[in-house]
Amino acid sequence: MNTYVEVIEPKIQYKDEKTNEINVKRKVAAYARVSTDETDQLNSYQVQIKEFTERIKNNPEWEFAGMFSDEGITGTNMKKRIGMQKMLDAARNGDIDMIITKSISRLARNTVDMLTVIKEMREIKVEIYFEKENISSADPKIDFILTIMSSIAQEESRNISENTKWGFRKRFAQGQLMMTTTHFLGYDKDDEGQLIINQEQAITVKYIFNQYLNGMGISKLARHLTEKGYKNGRGVVTWYSDTVKEILRNEKYAGDLMLQKTVTVDYLSHKTIANDGHATKYYIKDNHDAIIDRETFDIVQTMIHARDIILANDNKERFKHLAQKPIKGLVYCSRCKRMYRSKMHNSGTTFKKSMLKCHTDRNNPHNCDNPSIHEPLVERATLHLIKELTKTEEMQQSLFAFMEKSLQQINSHEPLKKLKEKSIDLANELKKHVRSKIRSGMSDEEYDRIYSEIEGELEQCEIDIVNLRNEINRELLTRRRLYALTNFIESNYEDKRIIKSFFGMILVDGKNHLKYILDDTFSIIDDLHEKIDIINKCKPFIKGKYYDETTNNTVTYEVIKYEGH
């Protein structure tokens, strides 16, 4: 007897994860992506969206679950693709049973990302179908094929990245500017892509440089611009310290152009970092009209560089520079050489007052007998003395002439840049010489002679860098005194910021007895601190007294001119 066996194929049913009911129709979504905003790709992008949407809606067994897309987004990094992330979230919530996409490269060019997505979707029973390759993620054997094909897509992406970089380098080498000026303060572009000055915005740029030259710090300048209602490159009245510093350091305002300031080191993550020796830079001098003259720009670079050097070290100059009070970090004990620090006496009472006290006395009273002194009294006595020293026009002109002459003798940041480049070249030359010994037939004597010559040049170059940095520090301190003195005179002798710029150091030498050090070497306070013994032996060129009506105290003072010997 022949047995008849009827084969009954399973009828696929789809369960709604939210309602727990069986759906006859399958919830299908589609995904499309193009990586650039070029016209051809955008046309393809629109065609993909239209074709997928119509096909899903016209299929009686499918329910349209959405069209997800990313326009002008790279396929090597999923984190930036908002459309894809929304689609995956919808799949996790049970709103999608199947995803259709044009090809593997449209979903991801990163192999790891591709396999991670497929594994997660498979676990929640969501199928992904790739049309071009005609494969589905539902088959577990497909992992091997997907690994190969997505690796090919990843390698293709790497080749595209390298070709793009090559194109950029060629254009940079030809001096072609590749940037947008939409949010760039001070400049627009003409029809040929060249930078032209935006006269209205240039006023803000000049104002920023002038205020910094006049002694206003970067953080204070950012707050000042916001308070005064100046608009930044985006047309917004909100300023940050980093924005101000970028403007002050941008060579474009001096008419120059630095190309390839940043590089993309990883074609998958697209992470951009500062080009600090990773690739060739291209510097074009006098490329376009300048908003800031070169001399002013160089001065500002020197001031920023010197400030960075000062703040990079945990020293006395840094403490003085960052302190808010006019004399904090400036007053020292002439006997034990320790800093005088603020201490509030009778705190919490109506008799409270701020006193300056020797740090040694505070910790070990038996080691120093130099008395404390009223802090506001020192401030008022100091302002009185500076006014006395600068009150006549003859004295003012003499001080200005001396400082301006000093500035003409000081190098700026440009020679330092050249020395640093020379140091790098010599270090590379030394490494090259060491490697060459293996391949060359050079004798030991010849090798040692050349090595010693290069090493000697490198050591001298490092010494020159240190010396020039010290000169740059002095340049900043000189400029700080020059501009502070100008502001002090213009403020009718009331601007307390003059104190830290005018005197290199103040020494306490007994009860209400102060020694003011007029430092003609323009050294940082750390260097002056080491010379306190020498300074104490110097004869004062001015002696006097100041009577304070507020406290009925008298301050005896001496002014010592320190010239470094």
Side-chain angles (χ1 to χ4, degrees):
M1 181 178 178
N2 293 331
T3 304
Y4 175 73
V5 178
E6 181 182 0
V7 179
I8 303 173
E9 296 290 343
K11 186 175 182 180
I12 300 175
Q13 296 177 321
Y14 303 99
K15 192 174 184 180
D16 192 312
E17 297 293 336
K18 294 179 179 178
T19 62
N20 212 29
E21 295 177 353
I22 301 298
N23 291 335
V24 177
K25 289 188 175 183
R26 196 176 191 189
K27 292 177 284 187
V28 180
Y31 178 74
R33 178 187 65 81
V34 289
S35 57
T36 70
D37 295 328
E38 294 179 3
T39 305
D40 291 345
Q41 286 220 351
L42 289 177
N43 289 337
S44 170
Y45 174 69
Q46 297 297 334
V47 170
Q48 283 183 59
I49 292 175
K50 183 180 178 183
E51 196 272 333
F52 278 136
T53 303
E54 289 179 353
R55 192 197 320 170
I56 295 171
K57 289 183 175 179
N58 292 335
N59 192 320
E61 295 183 358
W62 288 353
E63 177 186 331
F64 184 63
M67 179 72 225
F68 300 88
S69 59
D70 288 300
E71 179 182 337
I73 304 293
T74 176
T76 54
N77 193 334
M78 285 177 53
K79 294 178 182 178
K80 297 179 181 178
R81 293 157 66 184
I82 298 172
M84 185 173 186
Q85 294 301 330
K86 287 182 178 178
M87 179 183 71
L88 295 178
D89 287 339
R92 294 179 188 114
N93 293 332
D95 297 329
I96 298 174
D97 298 319
M98 180 180 178
I99 299 168
I100 300 174
T101 188
K102 185 178 178 182
S103 66
I104 290 173
S105 63
R106 293 305 88 196
L107 189 70
R109 287 185 181 271
N110 186 317
T111 306
V112 176
D113 285 348
M114 169 69 75
L115 294 177
T116 302
V117 169
I118 288 174
K119 182 181 178 182
E120 183 187 358
M121 293 298 103
R122 187 182 289 155
E123 287 175 354
I124 59 176
K125 299 179 181 177
V126 175
E127 179 186 355
I128 304 175
Y129 180 69
F130 305 97
E131 281 202 327
K132 182 180 177 181
E133 293 82 9
N134 191 27
I135 54 176
S136 168
S137 64
D139 186 353
K141 292 182 293 184
I142 211 69
D143 284 6
F144 176 68
I145 299 172
L146 285 173
T147 301
I148 295 174
M149 300 189 88
S150 59
S151 296
I152 293 171
Q154 180 173 319
E155 180 61 21
E156 182 186 351
S157 183
R158 189 191 67 79
N159 289 332
I160 292 171
S161 176
E162 289 301 319
N163 291 336
T164 303
K165 286 181 182 178
W166 181 84
F168 282 149
R169 286 195 295 268
K170 291 292 288 183
R171 278 177 273 189
F172 285 150
Q174 294 167 3
Q176 294 182 25
L177 175 65
M178 298 177 63
M179 64 168 282
T180 176
T181 57
T182 306
H183 299 140
F184 186 62
L185 186 70
Y187 283 102
D188 296 322
K189 271 187 179 180
D190 61 16
D191 295 336
E192 297 178 356
Q194 298 300 314
L195 290 177
I196 54 173
I197 296 175
N198 181 317
Q199 297 297 339
E200 184 180 350
Q201 294 179 355
I203 295 171
T204 303
V205 175
K206 290 177 181 177
Y207 183 79
I208 290 170
F209 275 82
N210 287 334
Q211 290 301 113
Y212 188 75
L213 275 175
N214 288 329
M216 188 177 287
I218 290 175
S219 298
K220 188 173 182 179
L221 184 48
R223 293 193 298 271
H224 174 77
L225 291 168
T226 303
E227 291 167 2
K228 292 290 184 180
Y230 283 90
K231 292 181 179 179
N232 59 24
R234 295 180 176 272
V236 180
V237 188
T238 304
W239 290 84
Y240 300 99
S241 300
D242 288 345
T243 309
V244 175
K245 193 169 186 178
E246 283 174 12
I247 290 172
L248 291 171
R249 301 194 74 160
N250 199 319
E251 79 290 337
K252 294 180 185 67
Y253 294 118
D256 298 345
L257 200 60
M258 172 75 82
L259 301 176
Q260 199 154 259
K261 288 182 181 180
T262 60
V263 290
T264 303
V265 290
D266 183 3
Y267 73 96
L268 292 176
S269 66
H270 295 273
K271 183 179 180 182
T272 302
I273 62 172
N275 183 10
D276 189 14
H278 298 280
T280 305
K281 289 182 183 179
Y282 303 90
Y283 197 92
I284 307 166
K285 210 157 189 175
D286 300 322
N287 177 76
H288 51 272
D289 291 337
I291 295 176
I292 306 299
D293 65 86
R294 192 168 300 281
E295 182 183 1
T296 300
F297 184 79
D298 284 350
I299 290 170
V300 168
Q301 303 320 298
T302 302
M303 292 174 70
I304 292 173
H305 183 77
R307 184 181 181 277
D308 288 345
I309 292 173
I310 288 170
L311 296 184
N313 301 308
D314 186 14
N315 56 17
K316 298 176 179 64
E317 182 67 28
R318 182 178 187 273
F319 181 83
K320 185 188 85 172
H321 186 88
L322 294 178
Q324 297 295 318
K325 292 185 177 181
I327 58 172
K328 192 171 184 179
L330 190 66
V331 183
Y332 281 79
C333 178
S334 65
R335 299 172 187 178
C336 68
K337 305 177 189 175
R338 299 292 295 275
M339 185 187 293
Y340 262 65
R341 296 179 182 269
S342 293
K343 183 176 177 63
M344 189 64 70
H345 283 206
N346 302 318
S347 180
T349 72
T350 55
F351 303 102
K352 69 176 182 179
K353 59 180 179 179
S354 177
M355 301 295 291
L356 288 171
K357 197 172 182 66
C358 177
H359 193 63
T360 300
D361 182 40
R362 287 177 62 179
N363 293 279
N364 193 343
H366 301 292
N367 290 348
C368 185
D369 58 356
N370 223 354
S372 58
I373 187 169
H374 191 210
E375 188 171 3
L377 174 62
V378 178
E379 290 180 11
R380 290 191 290 268
T382 306
L383 286 174
H384 166 79
L385 176 57
I386 297 173
K387 183 177 179 180
E388 288 297 307
L389 290 171
T390 61
K391 65 182 179 181
T392 68
E393 188 173 340
E394 184 181 350
M395 287 181 179
Q396 291 172 14
Q397 293 304 321
S398 176
L399 284 167
F400 285 137
F402 172 74
M403 286 185 278
E404 286 169 356
K405 183 181 177 182
S406 299
L407 287 171
Q408 291 173 2
Q409 297 170 349
I410 297 175
N411 290 309
S412 69
H413 74 294
E414 282 293 338
L416 182 61
K417 283 168 61 179
K418 292 177 181 177
L419 277 174
K420 285 182 176 179
E421 290 169 2
K422 182 181 178 181
S423 174
I424 293 170
D425 291 341
L426 287 170
N428 289 333
E429 189 178 345
L430 199 62
K431 291 176 184 177
K432 185 179 178 182
H433 179 65
V434 172
R435 289 194 296 266
S436 68
K437 186 182 180 183
I438 303 171
R439 297 187 297 272
S440 67
M442 192 182 302
S443 66
D444 290 343
E445 291 79 7
E446 180 70 8
Y447 171 83
D448 291 340
R449 184 186 64 79
I450 296 174
Y451 186 94
S452 297
E453 287 179 1
I454 300 173
E455 186 180 41
E457 272 192 81
L458 181 59
E459 288 175 355
Q460 185 57 51
C461 188
E462 294 297 333
I463 292 170
D464 292 342
I465 288 173
V466 171
N467 291 336
L468 191 50
R469 275 180 172 161
N470 291 334
E471 290 297 317
I472 286 174
N473 281 346
R474 293 188 183 95
E475 182 172 353
L476 173 67
L477 297 172
T478 308
R479 293 193 187 282
R480 194 186 292 169
R481 185 188 294 181
L482 180 63
Y483 293 118
L485 181 58
T486 304
N487 290 335
F488 180 66
I489 294 168
E490 290 176 354
S491 70
N492 197 25
Y493 307 98
E494 292 179 358
D495 190 344
K496 292 182 180 179
R497 291 178 300 175
I498 183 69
I499 295 175
K500 285 184 182 176
S501 302
F502 198 83
F503 292 113
M505 179 185 288
I506 301 172
L507 297 176
V508 179
D509 191 25
K511 182 175 176 59
N512 289 350
H513 184 195
L514 301 174
K515 289 182 177 179
Y516 291 94
I517 314 306
L518 195 60
D519 173 31
D520 282 351
T521 66
F522 298 100
S523 301
I524 63 172
I525 201 164
D526 297 77
D527 294 339
L528 286 178
H529 179 261
E530 294 176 2
K531 307 288 193 251
I532 286 179
D533 288 335
I534 297 173
I535 291 170
N536 275 326
K537 295 175 183 177
C538 295
K539 292 182 179 180
F541 73 95
I542 291 177
K543 288 185 177 182
K545 290 184 179 182
Y546 164 72
Y547 174 72
D548 185 58
E549 295 179 354
T550 306
T551 60
N552 293 321
N553 283 316
T554 300
V555 174
T556 304
Y557 61 79
E558 301 174 25
V559 181
I560 295 171
K561 192 174 183 181
Y562 177 66
E563 298 176 318
H565 51 77

